[in-house]
Amino acid sequence: MTVSDTQPAFGQNASLTPDVREADRLCAQLQTVQQEVSRLLFGQEQVINQTLTAILAGGHGLLVGAPGLGKTLLVTTLGTVLGLDARRVQFTPDLMPSDITGSEILDEDATGRRSFRFVSGPVFCQLLMADEINRASPRTQSALLQAMQEHRVAVAGTEYKLPQPFHVLATQNPLDQEGTYPLPEAQLDRFMLQIPLTFPDEAAERAMLLATTGAQKATAQQIITAETLSAAQTLVRTLPVGDKIIDAILQLVRSARPETTYNDTLRTQIAWGPGPRAAQALMLATRARALLDGRLSPNLDDVIALARPVLAHRMGLTFTARADGVQLDDVLTQLLKHLG
C-alpha cells in the first residue's frame, strides 16, 4: 500500500500522519466487513460501498429506492457486522418528536416524593434506521435532523448526549408520495450521501431467490466493534489528500453553482447549487472510499464515483430546464466531463 499525491490536506501536519501498519490492519477488517454484508445483500455492492463510506466518514445516509430492495436488511446487517447498537423507527404522520428523542415522566418514590425522570427514546443508539422519513411531520423530521447534526437532544431544558459513534440511515420510497412530507432542501443537506437503490441484475436476483426461500436463513456475523469503527473514522481524517484532488473537489462543487459555474448553459439550468458542506462531505467521503479500497490516499476516481451521491440532493434545476426535459443526472454528467 502506497501513499500517492503526498501533499497534505488542509490543517494536516506530521503528527497526523497515518500509521501505515494500523491502517493496513483496519483496511483488512473493513474489506471483511464489506464481504460479510455482501453475503446477505445480493447485487447491491455499490450501495454497500457507499453506505459504508458515509458511516466511515462520520456522516449519515439517505437510502432511496422502491420497496423490497433490501434497505431494512442493509441497515440491520450493518448494525450486526459493525458491532453497533442498532434500532429502527417506522415513521408515520402521527409520530411525535418525543417518540424519537424521549420524554420526562413523573415518578413517585416510597416516601411519596415526586420527581421527573427522563426516559430516552430510540435515537439513543449508535445506528438508527429512520424508515420512510418523509412520512413524518416536519416537526418530527426536524427533531431527528437536529439530533443528527448536534449529536445531542434537549428535553425540558436539559441536554443529553447521544452515544458515539452515532449514525442515521434514513429511507425514502420514491414511488408513493401521497400523504408524505418531503424533506426541504436545507434539511437534505444534513445527509452526507444520497444513495439510490436499483433492482439487481438477473444473476443476483437468482442467487437471492435461492438463498432466501430455503429452510435455512443466513445470518450476519459481527466483524468489528464500535471502538474499531471509531478508530477507522479517526484514521480517515488523517489520510493525506493531494492538491490535485482538492482542486478537483473545489472545481466540481463551484461549477455546480449558478453563481460560480464556468458554463453559461449550466448557469441557466441550475437554480441553486451545493454549499461548502458539499465540498466537506466530498473530501471526507473520498478518503473513506480510499480506505475501504485499501488505499491511504484518494484519487480522482473516488471524486468521480462519489460526485452523484454527494451532489444529487444538494442541487436544483430551473423551471425552464425541467420544462425542456433536462434531468439532474444530465447536468452532473456535464460537470464530470470537465473534471480534472
Side-chain angles (χ1 to χ4, degrees):
M1 195 183 303
T2 60
V3 180
S4 59
D5 298 320
T6 53
Q7 289 295 324
F10 57 89
Q12 289 190 336
N13 53 50
S15 64
L16 292 179
T17 301
D19 185 285
V20 176
R21 196 172 300 174
E22 175 68 8
D24 283 337
R25 184 182 67 82
L26 289 173
C27 283
Q29 290 181 309
L30 291 172
Q31 288 174 0
T32 305
V33 166
Q34 292 187 84
Q35 293 168 3
E36 181 66 14
V37 179
S38 298
R39 188 172 63 83
L40 277 78
L41 215 69
F42 298 89
Q44 299 289 1
E45 285 75 16
Q46 180 172 296
V47 173
I48 295 169
N49 183 271
Q50 291 181 0
T51 306
L52 284 171
T53 295
I55 293 175
L56 195 58
H60 311 285
L62 181 62
L63 305 171
V64 181
L69 293 181
K71 297 186 291 293
T72 302
L73 177 62
L74 171 63
V75 179
T76 55
T77 302
L78 282 172
T80 301
V81 174
L82 297 175
L84 302 178
D85 174 22
R87 300 183 187 179
R88 174 177 177 267
V89 177
Q90 180 67 51
F91 277 57
T92 58
D94 59 347
L95 195 72
M96 298 297 292
S98 59
D99 295 328
I100 298 174
T101 61
S103 59
E104 288 191 327
I105 63 172
L106 186 62
D107 268 353
E108 184 175 341
D109 59 20
T111 64
R113 183 179 179 180
R114 296 179 179 181
S115 61
F116 284 100
R117 176 171 60 91
F118 176 69
V119 179
S120 60
V123 75
F124 284 84
C125 65
Q126 294 172 315
L127 182 63
L128 178 67
M129 179 179 184
D131 208 357
E132 293 190 287
I133 188 174
N134 56 328
R135 292 204 175 276
S137 67
R139 182 181 178 186
T140 303
Q141 291 175 0
S142 62
L144 175 63
L145 291 163
Q146 182 180 9
M148 290 166 50
Q149 180 67 20
E150 301 177 5
H151 287 206
R152 60 182 175 85
V153 299
V155 178
T158 303
E159 292 185 352
Y160 302 91
K161 290 185 177 181
L162 298 177
Q164 296 299 321
F166 173 70
H167 301 280
V168 172
L169 294 177
T171 71
Q172 282 193 170
N173 175 5
L175 300 180
D176 183 11
Q177 296 299 319
E178 185 176 352
T180 63
Y181 302 87
L183 288 170
E185 289 79 5
Q187 295 186 4
L188 282 171
D189 194 36
R190 302 296 180 185
F191 291 96
M192 177 174 283
L193 301 182
Q194 177 175 292
I195 304 167
L197 281 83
T198 57
F199 292 103
D201 58 33
E202 184 177 351
E205 195 162 1
R206 178 184 179 86
M208 179 194 310
L209 188 64
L210 294 173
T212 58
T213 59
Q216 294 184 342
K217 184 177 180 180
T219 56
Q221 303 296 320
Q222 181 177 340
I223 303 298
I224 63 174
T225 63
E227 290 73 20
T228 303
L229 175 61
S230 296
Q233 291 173 337
T234 301
L235 176 63
V236 164
R237 289 181 172 266
T238 68
L239 297 184
V241 182
D243 286 339
K244 179 181 178 182
I245 305 305
I246 297 175
D247 292 341
I249 291 173
L250 287 173
Q251 176 190 337
L252 179 62
V253 173
R254 293 181 63 82
S255 298
R257 300 171 188 159
E259 299 85 357
T260 56
T261 187
Y262 57 86
N263 190 307
D264 291 337
T265 302
L266 292 178
R267 185 175 291 110
T268 63
Q269 293 176 338
I270 302 173
W272 48 272
R277 190 181 283 126
Q280 294 171 329
L282 194 51
M283 173 76 87
L284 288 171
T286 53
R287 288 165 160 173
R289 187 176 188 271
L291 191 63
L292 283 170
D293 196 38
R295 292 175 282 114
L296 290 186
S297 182
N299 55 35
L300 194 59
D301 289 338
D302 297 317
V303 179
I304 294 172
L306 291 167
R308 283 178 170 82
V310 168
L311 298 179
H313 57 300
R314 292 182 165 101
M315 297 175 60
L317 300 180
T318 62
F319 174 79
T320 302
R322 288 184 278 116
D324 291 340
V326 177
Q327 302 291 324
L328 185 57
D329 194 64
D330 301 329
V331 174
L332 291 172
T333 300
Q334 183 71 15
L335 289 169
L336 290 174
K337 284 182 179 178
H338 298 273
L339 191 62

